[in-house]
Amino acid sequence: MLLGIVLALLAGGGVAVLAERFGPMAPQRVALGTLVLAALLLAGADAPGVAAAWGPEWIHGEAYRWIPRFGIALLLGIDGLGLVLVALTLLLGGVAVLASWTEVESRPGLFHGHLLWTLAGAVGVFCALDLFAFFVFWEVMLVPMYFLIAGWGHEDRSRAAMKFFLFTQVGGLLMLLAIVGLVWLHRDATGALSFSFFALQGAATGSPWAPWLLAGFLVAFLVKLPAVPLHSWLPDAHTQAPTAGSVVLAGVLLKTGGYGLVRFAEPLFPEAARALALPVLAVGAASVLYGGLLAFSQRDFKRVVAYSSIGHMGFVVLGVFAFDAVARQGAIVQMVAHGLSSGALFLLAGAVQHRLHTRDLDALGGLWDRAPRMGAFALFFLAAALGLPGLGNFVGEFLVLLGSFRTQPVAAVLAALGLVISALYALRLLRRAFHGPAGPALATAPVPDLDRRELLALGVLAAGLLWLGLQPQFVLDLLGPATPVPLAGPAP
């Protein structure tokens, strides 16, 4: 089933490219149909398969021979963490297709092909349990995203796409070196070559190389989150990307970094992770504060949301390296909630730019009077971003702060200040874009309100945030077995 999802997305991308000759809307329909098929395959992944031997927390697993001479196999599996993130990927993929339905006028087939290929790489990342396969999928999702930004982005798209590619590629290469080093440590100890996640657990225990190998993984994951000071590619990439690209970048690709921290950092390097906990926690707290402050100072709608993402993902770093089960569950909930809320805010930013050809907050104002449905959704999703109780973001941030306060109170207090800053930039964005007198951009152009397609996409995301905020227990039950850190396991 899991390999079937990846293959369906890869094949669907190829069909979308060819479908362009049958009409300008054919690629969109193919892309949407492919995502529905992938969702049905995910729903059918309830038989344990080879995961029956891995442990009760694993829902489904598959193993295929690939390069046995070097101990490389196509090992795919999902637990509650993987299931939640694959479902989020497919949902936001559908939202991205709806966002690009009429926005992409040039080569829509190739655009939706690259979109589906990016999603295929992300699904592979969330399922791969062979570290070589994980690296391959990690690289697969970078190339089509580069072309999405460079081919369909805005005025400075080439520079932003290259910056995105270079940052993530350097991080990926460091991770590859760390993977090879870990495999050789395992070979020296056992005499067998293996890239299996299960075989490599504990391979670095007691080794003086463990902190350096962990650092290779951390750089790759913190670049993708991104965390300060490895974040500078993100605002440019978001600003220049098309709307669908921003939705997938914020909602899916950033989550691969958080997933890597949860899945690989502490399980593969338990001693080194705890030894490096304090500097990594400092990076997380700095990201929360820095991202919020920079978001408050921006004049571009997209850049406000982009910098806010740095702050929100800082909570993920804090939740993982607090070494507390509650904080770790909160980090995963935060990833899901941020994917929904940031995807919606980028969709709204794209809707504003598509109508008014600007994202400059100084040129906006008074949008609520012209487009009340757009204003109402903006209020809802900005309230989610600032952590309003009853919505998913509040649950994630509250659990992170609750759990991390027991083990790392200083980092938790510093991160809590980010909640105040998030309220400031969210209310500032709402006031400048949607209230007050009409700005210059509104004086020269009509502002159609959200259409049915946009209402459907935003309505689904709003419903997801409400459900996650009011009924989080379903997700927490899924995540419980996937976050086996003891409740009283403070890092040094």
Side-chain angles (χ1 to χ4, degrees):
M1 292 296 181
L2 301 179
L3 182 59
I5 295 173
V6 175
L7 293 177
L9 293 171
L10 292 173
V15 174
V17 174
L18 299 175
E20 188 175 331
R21 67 185 65 182
F22 298 104
M25 295 292 109
Q28 291 89 317
R29 295 189 178 95
V30 169
L32 206 56
T34 300
L35 289 165
V36 171
L37 173 61
L40 293 175
L41 291 173
L42 180 63
D46 55 354
V50 299
W54 296 347
E57 70 271 19
W58 293 95
I59 298 170
H60 180 74
E62 303 168 11
Y64 306 93
R65 289 172 60 85
W66 191 5
I67 314 175
R69 178 181 178 85
F70 298 106
I72 297 172
L74 196 56
L75 195 63
L76 305 174
I78 53 170
D79 55 359
L81 170 63
L83 177 63
V84 167
L85 292 178
V86 172
L88 177 69
T89 299
L90 299 179
L91 174 63
L92 291 177
V95 169
V97 172
L98 292 176
S100 62
W101 201 271
T102 57
E103 180 181 311
V104 177
E105 299 176 353
S106 171
R107 300 167 294 166
L110 192 58
F111 176 90
H112 287 88
H114 284 303
L115 181 64
L116 290 177
W117 295 331
T118 302
L119 297 175
V123 170
V125 165
F126 294 138
C127 297
L129 295 173
D130 178 281
L131 266 65
F132 184 82
F134 175 80
F135 172 76
V136 170
F137 285 121
W138 184 273
E139 295 297 302
V140 163
M141 67 183 175
L142 301 183
V143 177
M145 177 54 71
Y146 168 85
F147 285 112
L148 281 177
I149 299 172
W152 290 270
H154 301 298
E155 58 278 357
D156 199 20
R157 57 185 180 269
S158 296
R159 185 183 67 86
M162 183 58 67
K163 194 173 182 180
F164 157 76
F165 188 80
L166 290 177
F167 267 76
T168 50
Q169 184 71 6
V170 170
L173 290 176
L174 290 175
M175 181 174 67
L176 177 61
L177 293 175
I179 290 172
V180 173
L182 185 62
V183 169
W184 278 106
L185 285 179
H186 176 264
R187 181 182 179 277
D188 288 342
T190 66
L193 274 176
S194 177
F195 285 78
S196 168
F197 165 71
F198 302 104
L200 295 176
Q201 292 186 57
T205 301
S207 171
W209 290 101
W212 297 100
L213 298 178
L214 174 59
F217 282 89
L218 287 179
V219 170
F221 299 149
L222 294 178
V223 165
K224 191 62 69 69
L225 273 169
V228 174
L230 305 172
H231 67 284
S232 62
W233 64 269
L234 180 70
D236 292 335
H238 271 313
T239 302
Q240 302 303 323
T243 301
S246 292
V247 171
V248 171
L249 185 60
V252 179
L253 265 66
L254 268 61
K255 307 306 172 289
T256 60
Y259 170 83
L261 291 178
V262 176
R263 175 70 75 213
F264 298 114
E266 198 268 345
L268 292 178
F269 306 97
E271 296 175 348
R274 289 177 179 267
L276 296 178
L278 289 181
V280 177
L281 286 168
V283 166
S287 298
V288 172
L289 298 175
Y290 181 86
L293 290 172
L294 265 292
F296 181 77
S297 66
Q298 300 304 307
R299 295 170 49 186
D300 184 292
F301 196 139
K302 267 194 169 185
R303 292 183 79 87
V304 173
V305 184
Y307 276 109
S308 73
S309 295
I310 298 172
H312 290 301
M313 295 306 288
F315 279 97
V316 176
V317 178
L318 179 63
V320 174
F321 275 82
F323 295 102
D324 180 274
V326 172
R328 184 164 292 199
Q329 288 186 346
I332 301 170
V333 172
Q334 173 72 352
M335 286 195 283
V336 177
H338 176 263
L340 299 174
S341 61
S342 66
L345 289 172
F346 279 117
L347 200 155
L348 286 167
V352 170
Q353 182 171 17
H354 186 66
R355 288 160 170 80
L356 301 175
H357 308 290
T358 183
R359 302 182 305 268
D360 189 347
L361 296 180
D362 292 336
L364 302 177
L367 269 173
W368 194 298
D369 293 334
R370 303 285 188 89
R373 292 195 294 269
M374 186 186 298
F377 271 112
L379 174 61
F380 178 88
F381 289 111
L382 286 171
L386 62 84
L388 187 72
L391 300 177
N393 301 66
F394 170 78
V395 175
E397 292 171 356
F398 174 75
L399 291 177
V400 168
L401 294 176
L402 176 65
S404 60
F405 188 78
R406 296 189 294 192
T407 60
Q408 296 292 342
V410 175
V413 170
L414 290 174
L417 297 177
L419 301 179
V420 178
I421 300 173
S422 64
L424 295 176
Y425 67 69
L427 294 174
R428 175 178 177 270
L429 174 60
L430 185 69
R431 178 184 63 82
R432 295 189 64 181
F434 292 93
H435 294 288
L442 278 73
T444 59
V447 187
D449 209 344
L450 298 173
D451 58 29
R452 292 181 180 179
R453 172 181 50 83
E454 293 167 322
L455 288 172
L456 173 62
L458 291 169
V460 169
L461 297 177
L465 281 172
L466 276 171
W467 175 72
L468 190 59
L470 297 176
Q471 295 291 335
Q473 193 60 49
F474 175 78
V475 174
L476 295 177
D477 288 341
L478 278 176
L479 298 178
T483 53
V485 178
L487 290 180

